[in-house]
Amino acid sequence: MNHHHHFVPDFEADDDYVNANTNSSSSNLPRKPIIGEEEDGDLMELLWHNGQVVLQNQRPNTKKQPPSSSSSSAPPPPLDHNLFIQEDEMSSWLHYPLRDDDFCSDLFFPAAPSSERQASNQVTAARPPVPSTVRPPEPSSMRPPAPSSVKPPVRNFMNFSRLRGDFTGRGESGPSTVRESAKVNPSATPASSAARESDLGSRSAVDGGGAYTVGDNRKGKAVVTTEPARENQGTSSSVASKSEIETIVDERKRKEREAIDETECRNEEAKQGRGSSSTKRSRAAEVHNLSERKRRDRINERMKALQELIPRCNKSDKASMLDEAIEYMKSLQLQIQMMSMGCGMMPMMYTGMQQYMPHMAMGMGMEMGMNRPPPPPPPFMPFPNMLASQRPLPPQTRMGGYPPVQASDPSRVYGSNQQFDPNSSQAQFSAYMDPFQQFRSLHPSQPPQFQNQAASYPSSSRVSSSKESEDHGNQTTS
Amino acid sequence: MSSRRSSRSRQSGSSRISDDQISDLVTKLQHLIPELRRRRSDKVSASKVLQETCNYIRNLHREVDDLSDRLSELLASTDDDSAEAAIIRSLLNY
């Protein structure tokens, strides 16, 4: 469709020839604006060659002149032979066998007529490297879509028809299609179908390449795919759809593995020459090495995946990354627990919590406001136990406005160990906030306050263990 | 553990991150993950632990999202001045 814009849309309404011209011109690369579009209003003969539209007017140009003799409303289709022709035009096109051998040959085949035939065949198969060449010296310019403007009209027709049918689905990425067809000889079917598959993904790439996007979504548009030569080669990367790229990567991996296997085989063979015992040992060692390598690769893969899951993880070494993963998981667990408790407690807020309202209003969070037995803890977190703090709230709530901090406190505490009991909960409130702060947007100044409070708490094994975990964290990060 | 680590690092010399350290961490991870905690065997491979960790974290993320949705619904149903709203907001900003 896009290509169609280039051309006067009005043309569509016009006779076939005009349409064909517009189509063809749009399809090919050097979309020379259909120059002659306006010339006669009607008939515009576009000579499409090698991706370039050589505009042919109605002027009495001999060579390229399309059989303007026909000069009927249906302009000589021969011009379109090499051009992109729409399906509906096929019939009209077919009706006009090539009359101008010269015409065609000049355009497309510099060679003699005899060679033209071959050339045309080749053209269909090969991909013209440069679309811009007007007279493509090589027959390759005649891509499959151009059904033979040349000598053996019939033959070309065959190609075209064959190709045409396949192009129907193409529409999107011409270049890929072109590429494919170029590779395959005029058996358009496999090429186009293959191209079609890859086309789906690569449409944009193709366009970028200047390739003629076949599909301009016109059904049955035969695209003259004069794909630039580079497309042919570099195509896979540019045109390759995502799947193609993935397959390429997979292929590379496969090749690596194969290479590894090959070297293994070779080594094995070499070893066999030395002697059975050494061979066995070396073989075993090799097998071991290989399995070890695979195992490490798998682990590294998983580590990378894990690193992606952890927010703001910029650690490069394994140990610190694992540390962060552990901290993050704990904080997540804590967060979930708190939120689920909040969900469950909300309806019951007014029943037993009134005394703690003021504190809650300060945004202290549920864990501070609850002085009653917490709901049954989730399986992995005895966190609620910790909430049953015996301490009076006010001292704690002086923090005021640190709801997140409060929340992180328990998490940090939790991080140190998994078993809480109310008595030791106070000890937990030494806030080693740092590890968790990175997971939450906490104010950096908050922690110190907690630490002050923590000092007043009796140190317990929990505290030491939490400190230890902090040391652990510090150590790994330092 | 810290003493263990320091001695370990002393032994390993330049590299502060030893395999033992990593396996320790992996074990810790294993204990955190409910699925693997039950096994409590030393035979769980590191790769499996890492895989389960990723899955578990994804599950946790999903739970957090669900709970956030529920909390926001709750918040919508309460007065903005109430303490409930304050609590819910604090939870949501967690």
Side-chain angles (χ1 to χ4, degrees), chain A residues 30 38 73 193 245 247 269 333 349 382 402 423 440:
Chain A
E38 295 314 328
S73 56
S193 57
I245 292 173
T247 45
E269 292 168 5
Q333 287 171 344
M349 263 273 318
Y402 302 137
N423 292 332
R440 304 191 202 85

Side-chain angles (χ1 to χ4, degrees), chain A residues 74-117:
Chain A
L79 270 183
D80 296 330
H81 290 321
N82 302 318
L83 305 180
F84 195 26
I85 295 182
Q86 278 182 350
E87 233 169 1
D88 43 16
E89 313 205 15
M90 197 43 172
S91 53
S92 61
W93 185 71
L94 280 168
H95 292 321
Y96 295 88
L98 271 179
R99 287 182 235 129
D100 291 344
D101 286 345
D102 290 341
F103 163 71
C104 295
S105 58
D106 280 348
L107 280 176
F108 303 101
F109 307 101
S114 59
S115 59
E116 282 174 20
R117 263 169 239 144

Side-chain angles (χ1 to χ4, degrees), chain A residues 298-299 302-303 305-306 309 317-319 322-323 326 328-330 332-336 338-340 342-343 346 349-350 357 360 366 380 403 407 411 418 440 468 472 475-476 478, chain B residues 1-2 5 16-17 21-22 25-26 28-29 31-33 37 46-48 50-51 53-54 56-58 60-61 63-64 67-68 70-71 74 82-84 86-88 90-91 94:
Chain A
R298 218 177 328 139
I299 289 182
R302 304 265 159 85
M303 297 269 301
L306 182 61
L309 281 177
D317 58 331
K318 284 187 183 178
L322 286 177
D323 249 350
I326 293 172
Y328 181 60
M329 267 174 55
K330 290 178 185 165
L332 266 187
Q333 287 171 344
L334 182 66
Q335 179 181 4
I336 287 178
M338 286 195 28
M339 289 172 88
S340 60
C343 280
M346 274 307 111
M349 263 273 318
Y350 290 106
M357 288 299 228
M360 286 180 181
M366 298 263 315
F380 61 86
S411 65
Q418 303 197 4
R440 304 191 202 85
E468 182 189 343
H472 162 82
Q475 205 166 1
T476 48
S478 57
Chain B
M1 177 135 35
S2 54
R5 185 167 303 114
R16 308 186 64 183
I17 302 169
Q21 197 171 349
I22 293 186
L25 294 174
V26 170
K28 274 167 92 177
L29 267 181
H31 292 336
L32 280 180
I33 300 174
R37 197 191 303 163
S47 111
K48 181 155 180 68
L50 288 174
Q51 185 181 14
T53 304
C54 290
Y56 187 57
I57 288 184
R58 284 192 208 109
L60 291 181
H61 282 167
E63 268 192 63
V64 168
L67 285 173
S68 302
R70 271 167 53 187
L71 279 176
L74 269 181
S82 70
E84 279 180 326
I87 295 173
I88 295 178
S90 70
L91 282 176
Y94 192 86

Side-chain angles (χ1 to χ4, degrees), chain A residues 267 269-279 282:
Chain A
N267 290 345
E269 292 168 5
K271 283 175 199 150
Q272 278 166 10
R274 294 184 222 129
S276 56
S277 60
S278 61
T279 312
S282 43

